[in-house]
Amino acid sequence: MLFDRVKPLDAILATAEKKSLTRTLGAFQLTMLGIGAVIGTGIFVLTAEAAQKAGPGMMISFIIAGFVCAFAALCYAEMASMVPVSGSAYTYSYAVMGELIAWMVGWALILEYAVAAGAVSVGWSGYVVGLIEHSFGIDIPAKFVLGPFDGGMINLPAMFIAGVVTMLLVIGTRESATINAILVVIKVTALTLFIILAVPVMNMENFEPFAPLGIGGIGAAAASIFFAYVGFDAVSTAAEETKNPQRNMPIGLIGSLAICTIFYLLVAAGVIGSVGAQPVGIDAAAGHALEPGSRELAAACGAIGDQAVVCSKEALAWTLREIGWPQIGNLIGLAAGLALPSVILMMMFGQTRIFFVMSRDGLLPQAFSKIHPKFNTPHVITIITGIAVALFAAFFPVGQLANISNSGTLFAFAAVSIAVMVIRRTDPGRHRPFKTPLIYITAPIAILGCLYLFFNLDQKSINLFLIWAGVGLIVYFLYSRSRSHVGRGHVEVHEDDADAPPPPVPPVPSFKD
């Protein structure tokens, strides 16, 4: 049977207690952690991508994406408070729906984190290159700062930042909660400053026509900018380091999502109202906005009628320069340059954490969990992850990377929403510090919302996800299923189990003081 291997919650919790990390994070730190993970390339860069697809209708796109995330967050909150261990959706699925589903969720999360880190690297590159060009009056050749799909050859700055973050993770430099909070303040301050300067100069004429491509354009934009919200699920990977997780995990998850949604709507209104947001062009056959075909178009995007089109690689900084605040625009670019690497670090760390939990369960080779003798970090898998992220960032555009990452994320979110309903039936007596309200309404809405966004992704992203899933099934049946600890009867893994020793838990660079 394919669905017979369920790892009992009591075994998961017992194993986690034997290898538990120090619980130091409270509700405020979790909320700051969530905001730090959520506010990044999504709002700083993908605003331009959404504008191309939906025009001013991207306001509705932000609401749709936030709505789906809100319902998924309620499902996440119940599972995270009830199962306060590392592994996120992978662990929840293992406890409820069995090993095969858990493997597929973990496989999808690998796709999410690695590709997302590549997307953020590309976003960082756009802002830093723009900052250098406008501050020093130089023109950096496009072929060295854009991938082949954006009119260049290779994105060297994106590769560089991915390499730097990989090095930091290998040598074990720890980003403290205090530093994370400072970076969150930088990002929030930058967005607040943008809102203060852009909203007062809004012109309501820029909101017409509101949806030039109709509901299809709004749905496509929502599927893309869903990436702007996905960081909140990374909060659940810090469950083993949270004080009173039954109370603080729901606060951190839902609180960070609510704060970010408010910022997103205000920022989108500022962009649209100040400089306009009409699609660059319409492919009548395909029914969607055309992608920028040149660096010049991507930088300024010309105009349609009297409306400028926002599709810059540094949308917020470009907007401020257009409305007469060039120096503040440069400061926005500097803020993005300082803050976005922390998002890359968290995404790459999330990738290695998923690998570790899956390796702890025997589904991946223990060689992936080899610890560096000097730095005491999982250097092998970190370097492999870093190389993959650097290659993604070097050759693919941010919009494509975001869509591919979204496909894996939406699959994981839907799985968690299903798991919450299943465990309500299979384990109704378990203590639930936080219960998802109206579970049989909330969870189905989250599932349907994830399906809606998934099928509004571009066909290339959907195909790549299906290929990735197929590869995952092959790996599972050829390797992982026969080596699973649960399949071999090691339901609870002990430290002194010589037959199947678990990989050691590495230090956590993103969360510890």
Side-chain angles (χ1 to χ4, degrees), residues 321-396:
R321 295 186 189 112
E322 288 295 304
I323 63 176
W325 297 95
Q327 296 305 318
I328 302 299
N330 290 341
L331 287 178
I332 296 292
L334 178 62
L338 291 173
L340 291 183
S342 69
V343 183
I344 303 171
L345 185 146
M346 186 165 185
M347 292 298 180
M348 290 181 64
F349 172 76
Q351 159 100 47
T352 59
R353 174 58 73 197
I354 296 298
F355 267 120
F356 260 86
V357 177
M358 295 175 75
S359 184
R360 181 171 67 185
D361 290 333
L363 299 179
L364 289 175
Q366 288 189 355
F368 283 8
S369 304
K370 187 176 180 181
I371 299 297
H372 195 282
K374 178 180 179 181
F375 301 126
N376 196 34
T377 57
H379 61 293
V380 174
I381 194 55
T382 300
I383 292 173
I384 292 174
T385 300
I387 292 172
V389 170
L391 292 176
F392 288 142
F395 298 110
F396 292 95

Side-chain angles (χ1 to χ4, degrees), residues 26-52:
F28 174 77
Q29 288 175 311
L30 277 177
T31 302
M32 289 296 99
L33 191 65
I35 296 173
V38 172
I39 294 181
T41 295
I43 189 61
F44 278 98
V45 178
L46 292 181
T47 307
E49 298 284 335
Q52 293 180 58

Side-chain angles (χ1 to χ4, degrees), residues 198-265:
V199 170
V201 298
M202 286 196 309
N203 182 352
M204 296 309 295
E205 292 181 358
N206 287 334
F207 290 87
E208 298 177 1
F210 187 75
L213 301 181
I215 189 64
I218 291 175
S224 293
I225 61 177
F226 178 77
F227 185 80
Y229 290 94
V230 299
F232 85 85
D233 72 308
V235 176
S236 64
T237 66
E240 288 190 35
E241 296 151 274
T242 301
K243 295 181 294 186
N244 191 10
Q246 288 75 14
R247 169 186 176 274
N248 292 331
M249 288 302 300
I251 294 175
L253 285 165
I254 299 173
S256 58
L257 182 64
I259 293 172
C260 291
T261 300
I262 294 172
F263 268 101
Y264 287 0
L265 290 176

Side-chain angles (χ1 to χ4, degrees), residues 56 133 163 408 458 488:
E133 291 186 334
D458 62 286
R488 295 166 60 191

Side-chain angles (χ1 to χ4, degrees), residues 58-79:
M58 73 171 177
M59 294 286 292
I60 303 300
S61 302
F62 272 109
I63 293 174
I64 292 174
F67 180 83
V68 174
C69 269
F71 280 83
L74 290 172
C75 297
Y76 253 90
E78 176 170 331
M79 294 301 295

